[in-house]
Amino acid sequence: MKLTLALGLGLLTLGFAGCNKSGPAAEDDAGVIKVGEFASLTGGSASFGQSSHKGTVLAIEEINAAGGVLEKKLKLITEDDQSTAGQPATIARKLISQDKIVALLGEVASSKSLEAAPICQQNKIPMISPASTNPKVTEVGDYIFRVCFIDPFQGTVMAKFALSKGYKKVAVLTDVKQDYAVGLAEFFKKHLVEAGGEVVREQKYSTGDKDFKPQLTSLKAAEPDAIFIPGYYAEVSLIAKQAKMLGITVPLLGGDGWVGDSLIKVAGDALNGSFLSCHFSSDDQDPVVQEFVTKFKAKYGEVPDDMAALGYDSAMILAEAIKRAGTTDGEKLRDAIAATKDHKGVTGVITLDAQRNATKPAVILGIVDQKFQFIEKVAP
Amino acid sequence: MADQLLELLQQIINGLSQGSIYALIALGYTMVFGVLRFINFAHGDVFMLGAFAGFYLGPKTLKIFGGGPSYAGAIAVLFVAMALCAVIGMVIERLCYKPLRDRPKLTVLITAIGVSLFLSNGGQFVFGAEPKSFPEIITDRLIAIPPAWGRISELTITISQVLVIGVTLVLLFVLTYIVMKTKLGMAMRALSFNPVAAQLMGININVVISFTFGLGSALAGAAGILTSIQQPSIDPLMGVNAGLKAFVAAVLGGIGNIPGAALGGILIGLTEALVVGYVNPTYRDPIVFGVLILVLLVKPTGLLGASEREKV
Amino acid sequence: MFEKSKIILFVVIVACGVASPYVSGINPYYYDILISIGINIILAAGLNLVNGYTGQFSLGHAGFMAAGAYASAWLSLRFGYEFGTSVWATTTAFVLALLAGGIVAAVAGLLVGVPSLRLKGDYLAIVTLGFNEIIKGVIQNAEPLGAQRGLGGMVQHTTFFWTFAFAALTVYVVLSLVHSTYGRGFMAVRDDEIAAEAMGINTTKYKVLAFVLGAFFAGIAGGLYAHFKQFIHPEGFNFMKSVDVVVMVILGGMGSTLGVCVAAALLTILPEVLRYVARIDALPEWLRSIAENRMILYSLLLIILMLTRPQGLFGSGAWKKKKA
């Protein structure tokens, strides 16, 4: 049939045409170092992507204002993956082969990082994820790094803390749509039980949910000493509010996903008496943090959240590594990143370990009078 | 035993209050379908716009009433949002659906999907993707149940929950009254039976259709405000999921049937609460759809829907 | 004519095979786009059979793609090594996994097709949407399939050859069916189901056949996708993905296979073109930020298309007719 023939020929032409193209020649950017970024700037995960993007951009601007790296400015090439699966792979390929980036920053969501990581690994382009916590991400290969905690650490921190406060019977409410929350919950439970605690009941919800009263009602009936909610602030703020409405008075425990502007704004006094582990709090009086918060507020008119801070640190660590390596050569850069030690980041003093994950102390904050209060620092 | 019974009762209350929200949104869907025979996918996004209208205009409106949360102020915010959404709904209809009145249903359906995507993504673009905290327009409190009632007093119901259920009922009655007892309502019913004949009878269908859309959208706006009182975290994508559930509710109850929409909403709300509380929250959405499919298998036009006779 | 079409199909497949090694060497970004085009052609052509030719409004195509993707990925990961490591072995394993994925998807199509028998139009749309959610829900709760974390680690078996060979095959099958008595049956169901029944046409058979075939091809597409991106996640097969495929079918013109193939290619390339537009410094800022927000443009495209040319690029006038 004519149709199939036409199609066939058309595709072949495309194919051969493609052979000859090798993409636009590297632009006349002899004076810049190109760094790629991929994030969800639109779509369902946009609030995280936009946050980390803002932090990253701030870092790059700061670096360039101070003269850049290796006497060149950093050029950030950002692509939006629209919170859609399938896009990270395409974007990674584009940034690497078309834009000729030297390194890739991204992504917040582990599932998106997992899509792009094999491509970076294959092409020997270092990738630094600001916030993907699924252990599998850095297992993809030695070119893949991350600047955040991994699940086992944070989960254990909170479990230890819970037990230290005497909360032996803990209920767990997990956001099953997020790798991050699932991983955290898993390790929390494991450690809690190993150390003599008890998980009295578990419930689940999904990102984007607005009503948690059914789950909370069920958890309340189990009479826990505390409830562990390792999710993100958008839902946690509502959960706290509804928990209070349902007459739940026990403390709520959480992880770094709680850090967000709207957390206390929405929850009001419902979070008083609760605790969370994190690496960043905009109320942390550490000068490094306060400086970052001030600059961020000046540029964006809002208080940074965890994602923004991590985005910032990921870019800073990359820049530092380029300086130390003295080159943007893939292998040498990779080695330099891997050697990152005691980097004074906004999210803590960061050292990248042998598995290319960040070791840094966790900070436990309490919420008192609708404000964050530093409780203790937990070393890895 | 009493504990389990209490837990069940609490879940039922949860289900009823969430279900009323679905019912309220579903009313708008079903009305538009009843009159125009098409499903306005963008309805859920009008719900979202209502919530944002409350966010941006709420504080100013409250100032007129003395600044802080108050019932009078809240009602004012409600009306403002409803009015705004009514206008938005009518504009959308005029721009996007009117030119397609004579086209096959599928075309309009796709257009509606387009409008929905435009509103939600546009919302992300204009409002920003991060969740915003909805201003407090009433002081929400637990209703204290007298201890004399025994263990029942352990249940928690809040004012906002009662408010939502109450307002939904009121609007349900108002809507039914409008449709059944007013001239405009009669015109709407005539239009749903046979648009051409209705025109021949001298009914200005443009006016009726605009009115229908305006009314439906106003309801969505009201739902937006009521929801935000209970769940004060709003974001541009909040309409997508709620809209979908409400759509299921409307279909479940028999699309085109007003009491059916309310019934469907309540059923979906209860199902969700019970599945989440007793089965597994990750099965919530699949089970809700499963229930829908089962009902449609037995009653293809929904629970209260009239069987449609197709003329040959 | 029967023989001629088979020869053409054979020639195209061989040509794909010959070109494949050369094509694999091109810029990986363009390669990615090319493979995506092929996969989308399979999806769109399959859906066109259901929506376009048979008039059954299915909004759940991504569910079938998911079924095929996960089935083939799981089989590949679980049994792939048992075949051995030679090229023949891995290729056979891959193809078998693909076909298995297609069959699983076809079974899903059967399960969806059956309830569809009693439902029409908007009701059918929402039921198919429901099935999409249910399939997604099953995957999200299945630990062996990675649940919410996604499933990764697949070897990149998908090549230009396999993608376009299957694309050619899909187009061939669809067109052959459509130009046969089956096609008459499909279109009769679309045009007027009651009249078709009155004429003695077994509408059940045609509706179910359309669903099953459409689902089978979606499953193949899913398998190809899984073995190309090497990582799959349940959210990648949600309602939005289904809408994507529906838009391709609408844009191409329901009932025109050539149209949907062209539309599939166009809509795959469009987001990438917009990426470049957003980068062009010469354009004003507001225009660029709109280009960055592809979804806004996409939705506008949809609305304008429906308002001005609902029959799509190549569609038959049937969709423009005004109802009496």
Side-chain angles (χ1 to χ4, degrees):
Chain A
M1 273 164 283
K2 279 188 280 221
L3 182 59
T4 335
L5 186 66
L7 268 177
L9 284 177
L11 294 168
L12 278 176
T13 335
L14 251 178
F16 279 116
C19 288
N20 296 326
K21 271 197 222 143
S22 57
E27 298 158 46
D28 221 8
D29 294 301
V32 293
I33 295 178
K34 292 194 252 181
V35 171
E37 182 201 7
F38 73 115
S40 302
L41 299 176
T42 55
S45 315
S47 64
F48 304 132
Q50 283 182 7
S51 266
S52 81
H53 175 66
K54 283 180 186 156
T56 308
V57 167
L58 183 65
I60 302 278
E61 282 181 2
E62 240 183 77
I63 295 167
N64 284 341
V69 172
L70 304 181
E71 277 152 42
K72 295 187 190 158
K73 298 260 193 249
L74 289 176
K75 182 170 174 185
L76 184 69
I77 305 180
T78 309
E79 288 293 351
D80 175 15
D81 61 30
Q82 295 184 297
S83 311
T84 305
Q87 295 243 1
T90 312
I91 290 174
R93 291 194 176 103
K94 170 186 179 284
L95 288 170
I96 294 175
S97 54
Q98 294 281 86
D99 300 298
K100 310 261 189 266
I101 54 172
V102 308
L104 183 62
L105 295 171
E107 225 250 16
V108 168
S110 295
S111 61
K112 308 227 167 42
S113 293
L114 282 169
E115 223 187 273
I119 298 171
C120 288
Q121 181 68 27
Q122 261 168 7
N123 288 284
K124 297 210 192 310
I125 299 281
M127 178 174 133
I128 305 184
S129 163
S132 290
T133 58
N134 186 331
K136 287 212 180 112
V137 172
T138 43
E139 285 170 22
V140 169
D142 59 355
Y143 275 80
I144 317 295
F145 301 86
R146 72 175 113 217
V147 296
C148 55
F149 297 133
I150 51 172
D151 308 333
F153 177 56
Q154 237 194 126
T156 314
V157 165
M158 274 326 268
K160 279 196 188 139
F161 179 75
L163 288 168
S164 75
K165 300 279 290 187
Y167 309 138
K168 279 202 151 156
K169 303 194 302 172
V170 183
V172 179
L173 180 57
T174 317
D175 182 346
V176 288
K177 269 221 161 104
Q178 300 290 344
D179 256 347
Y180 156 78
V182 171
L184 217 58
E186 214 178 284
F187 287 99
F188 175 86
K189 285 184 286 178
K190 184 154 165 268
H191 192 91
L192 186 78
V193 169
E194 273 171 14
E198 188 195 332
V199 178
V200 290
R201 195 170 288 189
E202 282 183 66
Q203 270 292 349
K204 315 176 192 172
Y205 67 94
S206 295
T207 316
D209 280 357
K210 302 277 179 179
D211 181 44
F212 307 93
K213 296 197 224 72
Q215 290 95 323
L216 288 167
T217 305
S218 162
L219 290 179
K220 181 180 175 197
E223 292 176 359
D225 297 324
I227 307 181
F228 181 55
I229 315 175
Y232 285 111
Y233 57 89
E235 288 80 37
V236 172
S237 55
L238 290 171
I239 292 174
K241 215 169 159 104
Q242 290 169 13
K244 181 161 183 234
M245 272 191 214
L246 286 173
I248 295 177
T249 50
V250 294
L252 306 177
L253 307 170
D256 61 319
W258 281 31
V259 180
D261 205 22
S262 67
L263 179 75
I264 300 191
K265 274 198 195 148
V266 172
D269 57 5
L271 276 172
N272 286 346
S274 297
F275 303 96
L276 64 141
S277 69
C278 67
H279 20 48
F280 170 76
S281 158
S282 52
D283 294 311
D284 189 341
Q285 294 307 311
D286 184 326
V288 172
V289 175
Q290 282 308 310
E291 212 192 310
F292 167 65
V293 173
T294 314
K295 283 187 222 152
F296 194 92
K297 271 212 230 165
K299 182 169 163 75
Y300 296 111
E302 56 188 52
V303 172
D305 63 12
D306 234 31
M307 300 299 163
L310 287 167
Y312 183 87
D313 276 346
S314 65
M316 284 299 188
I317 286 186
L318 176 65
E320 286 299 310
I322 298 178
K323 279 189 199 148
R324 267 183 286 117
T327 164
T328 55
D329 167 72
E331 262 188 69
K332 300 218 177 66
L333 180 55
R334 186 220 83 83
D335 290 336
I337 299 176
T340 301
K341 196 168 144 68
D342 292 335
H343 171 97
K344 274 184 151 24
V346 172
T347 59
V349 177
I350 302 172
T351 299
L352 292 180
D353 65 20
Q355 283 77 43
R356 298 168 303 287
N357 299 318
T359 41
K360 49 184 168 175
V363 166
I364 298 191
L365 303 175
I367 300 179
V368 175
D369 270 339
Q370 298 187 42
K371 277 196 177 323
F372 288 111
Q373 204 184 67
F374 175 83
I375 304 276
E376 65 189 47
K377 216 168 190 132
V378 180
Chain B
M1 182 56 209
D3 281 330
Q4 280 145 338
L5 193 61
L6 269 182
E7 199 185 325
L8 180 64
L9 276 176
Q10 185 67 58
Q11 294 290 22
I12 291 180
I13 294 176
N14 295 338
L16 282 176
S17 82
Q18 185 66 19
S20 318
I21 293 176
Y22 292 144
L24 204 53
I25 307 176
L27 284 175
Y29 265 124
T30 219
M31 242 185 39
V32 167
F33 185 87
V35 173
L36 292 162
R37 299 258 162 257
F38 100 95
I39 292 166
N40 181 12
F41 262 108
H43 193 69
D45 298 283
V46 175
F47 158 81
M48 176 270 290
L49 288 173
F52 274 89
F55 175 75
Y56 285 112
L57 299 173
K60 300 201 191 85
T61 317
L62 283 179
K63 275 214 186 66
I64 305 179
F65 286 85
S70 67
Y71 283 109
I75 295 184
V77 175
L78 192 67
F79 275 122
V80 166
M82 283 172 80
L84 200 61
C85 287
V87 169
I88 293 174
M90 291 195 274
V91 166
I92 294 176
E93 192 274 322
R94 194 44 68 113
L95 281 179
C96 306
Y97 303 146
K98 178 157 182 278
L100 299 171
R101 270 203 209 137
D102 298 321
R103 301 285 176 76
K105 227 89 66 44
L106 205 54
T107 314
V108 198
L109 200 62
I110 308 282
T111 313
I113 295 180
V115 173
S116 170
L117 287 175
F118 180 72
L119 288 175
S120 51
N121 284 287
Q124 274 203 329
F125 183 63
V126 171
F127 305 135
E130 275 129 37
K132 299 203 168 24
S133 148
F134 193 77
E136 214 183 326
I137 57 178
I138 62 163
T139 14
D140 201 5
R141 270 190 316 276
L142 284 179
I143 298 180
I145 305 175
W149 289 27
R151 304 239 18 220
I152 301 264
S153 59
E154 285 173 37
L155 291 176
T156 49
I157 311 186
T158 60
I159 294 185
S160 61
Q161 280 179 307
V162 172
L163 203 65
V164 168
I165 299 177
V167 172
T168 306
L169 281 173
V170 166
L171 287 174
L172 176 62
F173 279 119
V174 168
L175 195 62
T176 312
Y177 180 82
I178 292 180
V179 170
M180 290 295 164
K181 301 269 192 220
T182 63
K183 241 173 142 187
L184 207 46
M186 193 153 61
M188 283 163 69
R189 277 180 288 142
L191 197 58
S192 77
F193 279 123
N194 192 329
V196 179
Q199 274 186 291
L200 290 174
M201 290 293 120
I203 294 175
N204 183 340
I205 57 170
N206 287 329
V207 167
V208 178
I209 290 178
S210 281
F211 178 73
T212 309
F213 255 91
L215 196 55
S217 304
L219 288 175
I225 300 289
L226 289 170
T227 310
S228 306
I229 294 178
Q230 274 201 45
Q231 295 154 189
S233 172
I234 63 173
D235 67 273
L237 295 180
M238 66 191 277
V240 177
N241 205 23
L244 194 60
K245 294 287 173 57
F247 177 38
V248 172
V251 173
L252 187 67
I255 194 147
N257 185 308
I258 290 173
L263 179 66
I266 303 289
L267 275 177
I268 301 269
L270 282 172
T271 310
E272 281 194 350
L274 293 174
V275 167
V276 169
Y278 293 107
V279 179
N280 183 337
T282 33
Y283 285 131
R284 182 192 60 196
D285 290 352
I287 290 186
V288 163
F289 279 106
V291 166
L292 173 75
I293 292 172
L294 282 173
V295 168
L296 285 181
L297 280 179
V298 175
K299 278 212 105 210
T301 45
L303 288 171
L304 299 183
S307 39
E308 287 189 9
R309 269 160 291 146
E310 213 179 317
K311 295 229 204 106
V312 206
Chain C
M1 182 142 157
F2 191 59
E3 301 294 2
K4 192 167 126 199
S5 56
K6 279 209 177 121
I7 293 176
I8 295 180
L9 176 69
F10 184 70
V11 166
V12 168
I13 292 184
V14 167
C16 287
V18 166
S20 192
Y22 298 102
V23 175
S24 308
I26 66 171
N27 182 318
Y29 176 47
Y30 290 164
Y31 187 60
D32 188 286
I33 299 177
L34 201 56
I35 301 286
S36 300
I37 291 179
I39 293 177
N40 285 334
I41 288 179
I42 300 176
L43 285 170
L47 186 63
N48 194 19
L49 191 60
V50 181
N51 283 20
Y53 289 113
T54 318
Q56 301 298 295
F57 193 33
S58 169
L59 274 181
H61 214 58
F64 302 134
M65 187 185 176
Y70 272 92
S72 64
W74 185 80
L75 283 170
S76 253
L77 288 171
R78 179 81 178 71
F79 297 111
Y81 299 113
E82 319 239 342
F83 277 75
T85 45
S86 75
V87 173
W88 273 117
T90 48
T91 315
T92 318
F94 172 55
V95 175
L96 283 179
L98 273 187
L99 290 174
I103 293 176
V104 169
V107 169
L110 187 64
L111 291 173
V112 175
V114 166
S116 83
L117 301 177
R118 294 191 72 180
L119 303 167
K120 296 198 189 11
D122 309 307
Y123 291 101
L124 180 63
I126 198 168
V127 163
T128 52
L129 211 159
F131 271 109
N132 192 342
E133 282 299 314
I134 292 178
I135 293 177
K136 215 178 74 164
V138 166
I139 295 172
Q140 281 169 341
N141 282 295
E143 274 308 317
L145 295 179
Q148 281 293 353
R149 313 228 195 153
L151 190 61
M154 283 78 82
V155 178
Q156 196 178 69
H157 288 303
T158 304
T159 62
F160 175 77
F161 168 63
W162 285 115
T163 312
F164 283 93
F166 272 108
L169 199 65
T170 308
V171 168
Y172 172 77
V173 168
V174 170
L175 281 177
S176 307
L177 271 178
V178 161
H179 284 118
S180 70
T181 47
Y182 280 95
R184 300 274 164 252
F186 290 135
M187 289 188 269
V189 169
R190 174 188 69 194
D191 291 338
D192 195 327
E193 207 174 315
I194 297 179
E197 282 275 2
M199 289 286 131
I201 293 176
N202 186 344
T203 55
T204 307
K205 171 170 116 183
Y206 290 103
K207 285 202 261 192
V208 173
L209 185 62
F211 264 105
V212 169
L213 273 175
F216 176 76
F217 288 121
I220 299 276
L224 287 166
Y225 176 89
H227 290 88
F228 181 63
K229 299 278 181 183
Q230 299 174 273
F231 182 80
I232 51 180
H233 193 261
E235 285 306 316
F237 301 104
N238 60 6
F239 173 59
M240 273 319 302
K241 182 83 187 156
S242 292
V243 169
D244 276 350
V245 188
V246 167
V247 173
M248 287 177 205
V249 171
I250 305 277
L251 176 63
M254 300 204 264
S256 162
T257 306
L258 174 65
V260 303
C261 292
V262 171
L266 279 177
L267 285 172
T268 313
I269 297 178
L270 183 66
E272 306 304 319
V273 168
L274 286 176
R275 272 194 230 277
Y276 275 106
V277 171
R279 295 243 169 277
I280 301 177
D281 294 312
L283 290 178
E285 181 64 39
W286 66 270
L287 199 58
R288 289 170 62 192
S289 50
I290 296 209
E292 266 166 12
N293 272 286
R294 294 191 284 286
M295 281 314 289
I296 296 187
L297 274 183
Y298 194 72
S299 51
L300 276 176
L301 167 74
L302 208 52
I303 298 174
I304 295 173
L305 191 67
M306 284 296 105
L307 286 173
T308 54
R309 205 189 153 86
Q311 73 271 36
L313 294 171
F314 293 81
S316 53
W319 292 99
K320 224 183 164 171
K321 74 167 185 255
K322 311 234 164 178
K323 302 214 295 213

